[in-house]
Amino acid sequence: MNDLEEILAAKSSERHLNDLIIRYRPWILRCASEATHRYVTDSDDEWSVALMAFHEAVKNYEEEKGPFRVFATVVIRRRILDFLRSEQRRNAEISVTPEAFGGDLPEEEVGGVNTRVQRQVAEESSARADTGDLSARTREEIASVQHTLGRYGFSFFDLTECSPKAEKTRKSCAIAIRCLLDNRDLMEQMQKTRMLPMKELINASGTPRKILDRHRRYIIAAAEILSGEYPIISAYLDFVRKV
């Protein structure tokens, strides 16, 4: 498979996208460094921004737009500059208001951590508006989760799209999540590579690759939340512990 075929395949395949990111990682870092005029590593926020921009470039690329690297460079540079401008404007403390969790989301998304947290946080934040204690703690957790998930190239607010809806799929995802939590080597491998250890996780959990591909972000987010210090958000994932 040549470069063009691999890029086009990555538009619709998580597996090909993961392979592409691994191969392009040094180039993505170089693009981020050039845009910021300083050396960027994969521990920097700019790496997360560049990774998301690369993913955006892959999804939006068409052959008639010219060479992929030229197109991706423009997208990465634009997103990095937008990020730097927003960093200059924002306060040191990240604020997440209850309205950020609103919206008309389908009730059938019972397995979606994002959907459930959005609704519950909005209700509880409104009920305790006098003290603001809960919303403050929740903002801190959301900000921390956002930072963690950003290193994987996606946001907490992306989870609505990839949360499992069917009970059977939800249970399969929960088994994969528990497998990660119970296997330190797999968890450390995921955190080091910023990707699901597909082959090992399939063998260890028996979860089909199709489910891991489709719900990769949900599984990663749930594993990070349940393994971290997020008492408010993790409460909505108690079902994972019961599998």
Side-chain angles (χ1 to χ4, degrees):
M1 183 179 293
N2 60 38
D3 282 357
L4 178 59
E5 290 173 338
E6 187 176 7
I7 291 163
L8 295 178
K11 289 167 65 70
S12 58
S13 168
E14 288 286 348
R15 180 172 62 85
H16 283 98
L17 178 61
N18 287 339
D19 292 342
L20 196 67
I21 289 172
I22 291 174
R23 191 159 67 82
Y24 271 75
R25 178 179 172 279
W27 182 82
I28 297 171
L29 285 169
R30 186 166 68 251
C31 284
S33 298
E34 291 174 354
T36 58
H37 301 290
R38 68 176 180 80
Y39 182 67
V40 173
T41 72
D42 57 11
S43 296
D44 295 319
D45 289 338
E46 288 82 357
W47 157 249
S48 301
V49 175
L51 187 60
M52 286 187 282
F54 180 80
H55 181 239
E56 176 187 346
V58 171
K59 294 298 183 182
N60 293 327
Y61 179 69
E62 302 292 345
E63 192 173 357
E64 57 267 23
K65 293 182 178 180
F68 172 73
R69 291 197 182 211
V70 175
F71 174 74
T73 298
V74 173
V75 177
I76 292 172
R77 178 176 176 80
R78 184 186 301 135
R79 295 298 175 230
I80 289 285
L81 293 178
D82 287 346
F83 169 74
L84 294 176
R85 281 192 290 265
S86 69
E87 285 292 288
Q88 291 174 351
R89 289 194 300 266
R90 75 172 188 166
N91 294 325
E93 179 181 6
I94 299 174
S95 177
V96 180
T97 63
E99 288 79 5
F101 299 92
D104 297 322
L105 298 173
E107 290 292 338
E108 62 267 26
E109 290 189 31
V110 296
V113 57
N114 193 32
T115 302
R116 302 177 70 191
V117 171
Q118 285 176 342
R119 293 186 183 280
Q120 189 70 13
V121 167
E123 293 171 3
E124 292 178 351
S125 294
S126 176
R128 303 192 186 188
D130 291 338
T131 62
D133 287 345
L134 176 72
S135 60
R137 293 198 304 273
T138 303
R139 285 199 301 270
E140 291 174 0
E141 286 195 15
I142 294 293
S144 181
V145 170
Q146 282 277 57
H147 180 76
T148 298
L149 298 185
R151 299 190 183 282
Y152 292 90
F154 64 93
S155 163
F156 174 81
F157 299 101
D158 291 331
L159 298 181
T160 299
E161 298 178 2
C162 59
S163 296
K165 298 175 179 61
E167 181 64 26
K168 183 178 179 181
T169 305
R170 183 176 177 231
K171 184 175 180 179
S172 294
C173 288
I175 291 172
I177 295 164
R178 276 295 302 272
C179 187
L180 282 170
L181 295 173
D182 294 341
N183 191 316
R184 179 176 295 182
D185 289 340
L186 287 184
M187 192 71 180
E188 289 179 352
Q189 183 179 343
M190 182 190 79
Q191 292 172 331
K192 181 179 180 179
T193 63
R194 312 298 186 193
M195 290 183 293
L196 277 182
M198 288 288 190
K199 183 177 180 181
E200 295 85 348
L201 194 53
I202 291 170
N203 292 335
S205 69
T207 306
R209 173 179 282 275
K210 183 178 180 180
I211 290 178
L212 295 182
D213 275 335
R214 183 174 298 170
H215 301 289
R216 175 184 65 89
R217 295 180 178 183
Y218 175 82
I219 293 168
I220 290 172
E224 285 286 2
I225 289 169
L226 289 171
S227 66
E229 298 296 325
Y230 307 111
I232 297 174
I233 300 176
S234 64
Y236 300 94
L237 290 164
D238 278 344
F239 74 94
V240 173
R241 298 188 177 98
K242 300 174 183 177
V243 173

